[in-house]
Amino acid sequence: MNQQTSHNILSYFQKLLESNKLNFLRDIAINNIAERYGSLVESQDYEKGIIVYWGLFSDQHNTIEPVEALVTYNFYKEHKKELSKNANNVTKAIDKLVYDKSEASKPYKPLLQNINQEIHYLQLRADKLYPDYIELSKALKFIENHLLTRYQIKPIAIKRADEKLSYFGFKDTITRSRFRELYDVADKFEIIEFDVVDENTFLEVFLENPSSPDRIIKFNCQNSVAKVFIEKIRPLFTSLTPKAIEKSGRFLTKRNTVLTETNYNRTEIKPTTKIDKIIQEMNTILRE
């Protein structure tokens, strides 16, 4: 696997997942054995990938006459070994790719993300073409797990599941306990009232995707102060945008109206002592 790139590093699996390629390889393997042994073939089952034939065996010193015995060839059993070997080769090639990029002081994460995306595509192809061939899926997951455990590249399927759990796409870059500290800041500076918006509601709205319409954050402050708070935590999310905020319907202004995209964008932030203190305390939490 010399001179591997993120483009061809998965070439074995890409070629394997061509339409009906696995069945083609299976049939070729069984046909080759059938042609070689001819009348010595006892039985063959293309669906299961098994052919049974009579073979001759003798010890390495030829001290005894060759002995005839039945041999069972199982394509899928042999192919499992091949899958495992190639999956291991891919992980080694990934490590070498990362090493070479690091040595050249070049970023490697984008390349790993590309590989991760391609694995997801291959998994979908495998599920569609060979839904009962578990070993193929295991081989691809082996590579996925290597990317996750060694380089913290989360599998696409898990990422999408996580994003569904968080309406605003929480990146999980800080712990929930630190997010509770942000709630304390919001309570301390009367951005919200603790007896109106409890801690669980605060966490659910920002970090999850609550189904109950009662899970709402009502701000107890001017829109400019609420905007400061939201803008400070926006980098923690993928989609905490004014449009998403309005669409969610989860944020109410002090006047008990839904915080809309228009109101949010039109709100100007003017420096005040209170705002400076809020920013200072939030910075301390977010930098920890």
Side-chain angles (χ1 to χ4, degrees):
M1 298 184 72
N2 296 326
Q3 297 181 338
Q4 285 284 12
T5 67
S6 62
H7 178 70
N8 65 14
I9 206 167
L10 292 164
S11 59
Y12 169 82
F13 292 96
Q14 290 164 336
K15 292 176 182 178
L16 179 62
L17 283 163
E18 292 173 359
S19 181
N20 219 22
K21 184 69 177 290
L22 185 64
N23 292 343
F24 173 77
L25 293 174
R26 177 198 65 195
D27 294 349
I28 287 292
I30 292 178
N31 285 338
N32 286 340
I33 294 175
E35 290 177 8
R36 180 179 178 184
Y37 289 93
S39 61
L40 295 177
V41 173
E42 185 75 13
S43 64
Q44 57 195 57
D45 187 329
Y46 282 90
E47 190 67 26
K48 294 181 179 179
I50 294 175
I51 182 170
V52 180
Y53 60 93
W54 289 95
L56 295 176
F57 300 89
S58 61
D59 69 4
Q60 59 181 339
H61 301 293
N62 295 317
T63 56
I64 60 174
E65 290 295 324
V67 177
E68 208 173 39
L70 277 176
V71 178
T72 299
Y73 171 83
N74 185 321
F75 170 81
Y76 291 107
K77 184 176 181 180
E78 295 301 317
H79 196 258
K80 176 182 176 181
K81 299 175 184 177
E82 185 176 323
L83 286 172
S84 179
K85 176 183 176 181
N86 278 277
N88 274 292
N89 285 344
V90 169
T91 59
K92 291 176 182 177
I94 288 173
D95 293 343
K96 186 178 186 305
L97 187 66
V98 170
Y99 176 80
D100 291 343
K101 290 294 180 182
S102 298
E103 283 288 288
S105 298
K106 293 181 180 180
Y108 59 82
K109 279 290 178 75
L111 298 178
L112 298 187
Q113 294 288 5
N114 289 340
I115 294 172
N116 195 41
Q117 182 69 48
E118 181 65 12
I119 292 173
H120 178 64
Y121 166 75
L122 292 173
Q123 283 280 20
L124 294 177
R125 289 283 295 168
D127 291 342
K128 180 180 180 180
L129 293 175
Y130 314 113
D132 299 324
Y133 193 27
I134 300 175
E135 299 304 330
L136 176 54
S137 180
K138 284 183 177 179
L140 292 170
K141 288 184 182 299
F142 176 81
I143 303 170
E144 272 189 339
N145 289 337
H146 184 75
L147 287 173
L148 176 62
T149 57
R150 185 153 186 169
Y151 303 108
Q152 291 75 57
I153 303 296
K154 188 176 291 188
I156 299 296
I158 295 178
K159 284 178 65 177
R160 290 181 178 176
D162 288 348
E163 288 173 359
K164 289 180 181 178
L165 292 176
S166 172
Y167 185 89
F168 299 108
F170 181 54
K171 296 179 182 178
D172 202 26
T173 51
I174 67 170
T175 63
R176 291 177 74 92
S177 62
R178 283 170 62 191
F179 217 92
R180 289 189 180 94
E181 293 178 32
L182 293 173
Y183 172 81
D184 292 337
V185 171
D187 176 47
K188 175 181 178 180
F189 290 98
E190 298 180 330
I191 299 173
I192 51 97
E193 290 182 317
F194 76 92
D195 55 348
V196 176
V197 181
D198 59 45
E199 183 179 270
N200 286 335
T201 297
F202 183 85
L203 294 175
E204 285 182 29
V205 170
F206 279 111
L207 307 184
E208 301 173 13
N209 189 11
S211 57
S212 173
D214 297 327
R215 291 292 188 257
I216 292 174
I217 293 178
K218 180 180 179 181
F219 290 112
N220 186 46
C221 59
Q222 296 179 341
N223 286 352
S224 58
V225 177
K227 185 173 182 178
V228 166
F229 185 86
I230 292 174
E231 286 298 307
K232 288 300 298 179
I233 63 174
R234 273 185 73 175
L236 304 177
F237 302 84
T238 60
S239 55
L240 185 61
T241 63
K243 181 177 290 187
I245 288 171
E246 177 179 352
K247 187 177 180 180
S248 72
R250 297 290 177 178
F251 298 90
L252 300 181
T253 67
K254 188 174 183 178
R255 295 183 179 182
N256 212 38
T257 61
V258 173
L259 181 58
T260 66
E261 179 182 7
T262 299
N263 287 342
Y264 190 95
N265 289 334
R266 288 180 177 177
T267 298
E268 295 183 3
I269 298 176
K270 297 180 180 180
T272 65
T273 300
K274 179 178 181 178
I275 286 177
D276 288 342
K277 289 182 179 179
I278 291 172
I279 292 175
Q280 183 178 357
E281 291 208 21
M282 291 184 73
N283 282 341
T284 299
I285 295 171
L286 295 174
R287 288 172 183 168
E288 291 177 355

